[in-house]
Amino acid sequence: MQADIEIFSLIQDEFNRQQHGLELIASENFTSEQVMRAMGNVMTNKYAEGYPGKRYYGGCEVVDKSEQLCIDRAKAIFNVEFANVQPHSGAQANAAVMLALLKPGDKILGLDLSMGGHLTHGSAVNFSGKLYQPLFYGVRKEDGLVDYDMMEKIALEEKPKLIICGASAYSRDWDYVRVRAIANKINALVLCDMSHPAGLIAKGLLNSPFEHCHIVTSTTHKTLRGPRGGIILMKTDFENPMGLTNPKGEIRMMSDLLNLAVFPGTQGGPLEHVIAAKAVAFHEIMQDDFMSYSKQVVANAKAMEIAFKELNYDIISGGTDNHLLLIDLRNKNISGKKAENTLVKADITINKNMVPFDDKSPFITSGIRVGVPAITTRGLKENDMKTVVHWIDSILMNTENEQNIAKVKGEINEFMNQFTLYPNWKI
Ligand SMILES: Cc1ncc(COP(=O)(O)O)c(C=O)c1O
């Protein structure tokens, strides 16, 4: 068989891009070499529909052990009774939860996409907005914080079956106690999608949703620093209060409904190689190094907040409690799109982002989202954040100055060379 030179040279190009650039996309990170090793191996060959000990295929003795290890580690990290580690992604995890909890047409209440929510929390272009009846709360205009009063008002008026908290572009912690109190008034269930801050929650650096939210979903590739994928967690199992049943009409415990909703409800065979890699990431999270890493993420985000404020950037909600910043660029007279496209020329990757009450379309946007999980993994510290912010500012204040862009790019490439990415990289 001929080697696939085209694809492998593209993989090398992508390695070079990652090595040289400043990765500031808030949802990205660099997994460890052992996480990548766990992902690229013979486990990809195995079909294992079902769950450990209850599979529809023979030869699952080994993957049973590795999936069980992954489940046990997830349960230990978050101190929960239930974990399903099979969702192929965060979106798949949310789809499975909704399939388990809801009937088509049921009302769901989530944070508006344009205010920081995620597509799977009810957007009209997503299954969640097509199959269910979406309602949205937002953030307050005056301070950019989640408007829990609005959440409560809509909840009392509309009585959604499910309230979703968690976001893709929100830099503050959540009041899970308040969300649960609102849900209790209307007997709604609460889903927390902690995809973004999960790693900080794992280490106790942010409020824990588990005592208050019935079900918690997450991606595994953001602040958890694992392979791309999803998980579903639950602190304590309970008999589902909506009287939902399995196809035979039996009332089930929530754990059964969630497992059935992942397989066979929304997925076929699990990705056992990715599950092995999730297990490796969880092993890393259980170690002290990950606590230092997570604390550094928070410290770096804070340092970046201060540096941006010194240059008069308008940070939504006035700052950050977690790993990201949402910046309104309207006072700088530049759109999010222009900022993203110009910064990338200097090997700085961020994403354009709607800001609350944005007057521009999602394709243009008034803001950018900036996150530090990936550069923190590379080894950058608080002192470096000022340099990073000055590079960003220099580009944004001179978007047509190609000479300056080239100069900054050169500085960044040289700087990032100190922080070796994957010392044992070999393709
Ligand atoms: C809050 C939230 N939920 C779900 C997802 C979806 O995750 P995935 O891209 O793995 O489907 C994301 C991804 O950005 C997210 O931010």
Side-chain angles (χ1 to χ4, degrees):
M1 215 184 298
Q2 280 187 356
D4 189 341
I5 293 163
E6 281 164 288
I7 278 293
F8 285 99
S9 71
L10 288 172
I11 293 174
Q12 184 60 42
D13 289 349
E14 177 58 13
F15 171 81
N16 294 341
R17 188 192 69 80
Q18 293 187 12
Q19 163 69 36
H20 294 139
L22 256 183
E23 183 50 74
L24 296 173
I25 293 178
S27 49
E28 294 192 12
N29 211 329
F30 298 106
T31 65
S32 67
E33 285 175 274
Q34 60 169 352
V35 164
M36 287 202 294
R37 253 198 346 266
M39 246 185 301
N41 61 60
V42 290
M43 289 218 181
T44 193
N45 299 330
K46 188 70 199 100
Y47 242 114
E49 282 178 355
Y51 290 98
K54 286 174 273 169
R55 305 282 193 185
Y56 290 83
Y57 288 80
C60 291
E61 313 78 57
V62 179
V63 293
D64 271 7
K65 285 187 196 154
S66 97
E67 185 169 336
Q68 192 57 52
L69 203 50
C70 188
I71 292 169
D72 293 343
R73 288 176 180 171
K75 284 170 32 175
I77 289 168
F78 294 104
N79 189 23
V80 294
E81 256 181 29
F82 169 85
N84 185 311
V85 297
Q86 290 193 2
H88 301 330
S89 73
Q92 292 288 112
N94 287 342
V97 170
M98 289 184 207
L99 184 72
L101 302 184
L102 303 168
K103 296 196 188 74
D106 279 350
K107 291 179 181 172
I108 59 174
L109 174 58
L111 180 62
D112 198 303
L113 181 66
S114 69
M115 304 261 175
H118 188 257
L119 284 166
T120 54
H121 301 177
S123 162
V125 295
N126 182 261
F127 77 90
S128 55
K130 290 180 191 288
L131 293 182
Y132 309 108
Q133 199 181 315
L135 304 158
F136 299 103
Y137 56 92
V139 298
R140 297 191 299 216
K141 203 162 191 170
E142 62 273 23
D143 57 13
L145 299 178
V146 162
D147 190 341
Y148 294 99
D149 292 338
M150 181 182 184
M151 181 194 283
E152 175 154 9
K153 187 166 179 289
I154 298 173
L156 295 178
E157 276 168 20
E158 300 279 352
K159 304 208 170 29
K161 289 266 169 53
L162 181 68
I163 299 181
I164 306 163
C165 54
S168 293
Y170 185 61
S171 60
R172 296 302 190 175
D173 206 351
W174 286 78
D175 184 351
Y176 301 115
V177 176
R178 176 91 199 264
V179 179
R180 179 58 180 264
I182 294 169
N184 282 350
K185 290 188 181 181
I186 52 163
N187 283 328
L189 292 174
V190 180
L191 164 64
C192 169
D193 178 349
M194 62 166 187
S195 289
H196 262 267
L200 305 181
I201 291 171
K203 288 300 180 188
L205 302 177
L206 290 173
N207 294 336
S208 167
F210 292 100
E211 300 285 341
H212 313 289
C213 304
H214 298 87
I215 296 166
V216 177
T217 53
S218 183
T219 54
T220 47
H221 46 271
K222 298 185 172 90
T223 48
L224 287 175
R225 209 163 67 176
R228 307 199 75 74
I231 42 170
I232 304 174
L233 304 164
M234 187 166 55
K235 170 80 181 162
T236 317
D237 201 2
F238 58 102
E239 198 170 292
N240 86 77
M242 291 176 186
L244 293 169
T245 58
N246 71 354
K248 289 184 194 148
E250 299 156 341
I251 301 238
R252 293 281 190 122
M253 295 302 283
M254 198 51 77
S255 53
D256 292 326
L257 288 171
L258 290 170
N259 281 338
L260 282 168
V262 175
F263 172 82
T266 49
Q267 293 186 177
L271 310 176
E272 289 298 342
H273 54 307
V274 177
I275 290 172
K278 287 175 185 172
V280 173
F282 294 156
H283 185 246
E284 292 174 358
I285 290 165
M286 292 162 112
Q287 293 165 38
D288 292 343
D289 283 0
F290 200 82
M291 179 59 109
S292 332
Y293 164 69
S294 302
K295 284 185 174 162
Q296 191 64 55
V297 166
V298 174
N300 282 352
K302 252 299 167 250
M304 198 174 248
E305 170 196 318
I306 293 165
F308 271 118
K309 279 182 178 164
E310 277 169 8
L311 296 175
N312 195 29
Y313 280 83
D314 181 5
I315 296 171
I316 301 295
S317 85
T320 182
D321 298 327
N322 58 24
H323 61 297
L324 67 83
L325 296 162
L326 185 58
I327 302 172
D328 187 340
L329 292 174
R330 280 178 287 196
N331 66 342
K332 301 285 181 184
N333 290 321
I334 177 168
S335 71
K337 182 181 176 186
K338 179 76 179 171
E340 179 185 303
N341 291 342
T342 317
L343 288 167
V344 82
K345 289 191 201 166
D347 287 348
I348 302 173
T349 31
I350 51 99
N351 63 281
K352 63 178 173 295
N353 216 99
M354 300 273 280
V355 295
F357 311 97
D358 209 325
D359 51 356
K360 299 195 183 72
S361 83
F363 300 104
I364 309 290
T365 81
S366 294
I368 53 173
R369 188 184 63 162
V370 182
V372 299
I375 52 169
T376 306
T377 298
R378 289 297 294 274
L380 275 68
K381 300 277 190 303
E382 289 99 312
N383 285 346
D384 303 312
M385 295 304 115
K386 203 166 187 159
T387 314
V388 167
V389 169
H390 278 271
W391 276 324
I392 293 173
D393 184 62
S394 159
I395 300 287
L396 296 185
M397 293 304 100
N398 301 283
T399 53
E400 307 309 320
N401 186 339
E402 297 296 334
Q403 223 179 337
N404 182 56
I405 293 171
K407 179 178 144 283
V408 171
K409 177 179 152 85
E411 286 170 12
I412 288 174
N413 294 160
E414 199 187 323
F415 179 76
M416 291 314 291
N417 266 341
Q418 305 166 63
F419 304 99
T420 311
L421 180 65
Y422 304 129
N424 304 313
W425 172 260
K426 178 160 91 322
I427 188 146

